[in-house]
Amino acid sequence: MAEYDETVVSEHDGIQELDNQLPRWWVWLFVFSIIFAVLYFSWYHVLGLGRGQEKRYHDMVAQAEAAQAARQSEMMANLDLGTPSRLDEVLAEGKDIYLANCASCHHSTGRGLIGPNLTDAYWIHGPNFEDTMHVIAKGVLEKGMQAWENSLSLRQRHAVASYIYSIRGSEPPDPRAPEGELVENSDDPNYNL
Ligand code: HEC
């Protein structure tokens, strides 16, 4: 079979149509690309064996999430219970504990109700984190603030103390009148680390 067949198939108005064979290399390329497309399609989309973009993306996200979870749990394990925490998990747990146990006296916003406002800068028992931890553990029985050391674990008391620490200065509406002493700039120096 000649590669270039000059046989004239038809002729119209002086324009000739020749019966040329396609070059071999071109035909093979064409056949190969079809086979390649079939293999590629089945590999990635039918059998799902290839790691396509989407799969690689999901793998990377899963990896990053695992790394973050590991970091979080390491931070949780190394939590310094002597300083207020800013970890989302700790604050979320603290908020739950607060709403369940403390809001009845200190109001859900912390503005104070039967108990004092926890968001202002006035403190009866001291502004430091350890003061807060101490009041929560021991309570002020004669004033109606119960001791929580038997019903909340140290970690739970740390979580709720961190939470009320986080709402300091939040200025909720209708605050209870200030009680105790005004203490400015009482934030724990470690808090913003
Ligand atoms: C039954 C009511 C009541 C409940 C419930 C209660 N408190 Fe209190 N709380 C008080 C009262 C009253 C005081 C003020 C004590 C005083 O005047 O010496 C107080 C004081 C405090 C103080 C010290 C405030 C200051 O100005 O020094 C903190 C901190 C505190 N409460 C946190 C909590 C937390 C956290 C919880 C929940 C785990 C809680 N309270 C639950 C009534 C309550």
Side-chain angles (χ1 to χ4, degrees):
M1 194 181 357
E3 271 202 32
Y4 298 103
D5 186 345
E6 296 282 295
T7 312
V8 177
V9 179
S10 62
E11 183 171 348
H12 297 284
D13 299 333
I15 300 169
Q16 295 180 328
E17 183 189 347
L18 305 181
D19 185 19
N20 281 343
Q21 291 290 319
L22 289 164
R24 272 292 150 81
W25 64 266
W26 194 96
V27 175
W28 279 119
L29 201 64
F30 181 63
V31 170
F32 175 75
S33 64
I34 291 173
I35 296 172
F36 179 80
V38 170
L39 290 179
Y40 184 94
F41 185 78
S42 24
W43 186 256
Y44 281 105
H45 298 289
V46 180
L47 303 173
L49 295 172
R51 279 169 30 87
Q53 259 185 30
E54 208 177 325
K55 224 175 182 177
R56 279 212 297 271
Y57 169 74
H58 287 303
D59 286 356
M60 280 164 77
V61 170
Q63 236 173 39
E65 278 172 355
Q68 193 184 7
R71 258 199 318 275
Q72 276 272 4
S73 56
E74 195 189 313
M75 283 164 94
M76 292 289 277
N78 296 330
L79 212 56
D80 173 6
L81 300 181
T83 54
S85 170
R86 306 190 90 155
L87 285 182
D88 289 345
E89 279 179 32
V90 174
L91 295 182
E93 187 192 353
K95 183 173 186 175
D96 287 345
I97 296 170
Y98 179 84
L99 293 176
N101 300 292
C102 324
S104 51
C105 291
H106 294 281
H107 194 263
S108 58
T109 61
R111 68 164 159 86
L113 214 57
I114 301 162
N117 185 342
L118 299 176
T119 64
D120 64 11
Y122 291 83
W123 297 95
I124 306 169
H125 296 279
N128 299 324
F129 191 67
E130 54 177 309
D131 301 325
T132 300
M133 286 294 282
H134 183 82
V135 183
I136 296 172
K138 302 293 176 194
V140 189
L141 299 179
E142 64 280 10
K143 296 283 179 62
M145 163 79 186
Q146 92 185 63
W148 294 93
E149 60 188 349
N150 294 325
S151 43
L152 296 176
S153 69
L154 177 60
R155 218 182 47 73
Q156 288 174 316
R157 296 197 304 271
H158 172 261
V160 73
S162 296
Y163 173 69
I164 57 177
Y165 211 91
S166 77
I167 59 172
R168 280 189 184 187
S170 57
E171 298 183 357
D174 290 329
R176 195 177 138 100
E179 286 152 284
E181 274 176 52
L182 174 63
V183 193
E184 309 230 45
N185 303 324
S186 59
D187 270 358
D188 191 300
N190 293 318
Y191 191 49
N192 289 313
L193 288 184

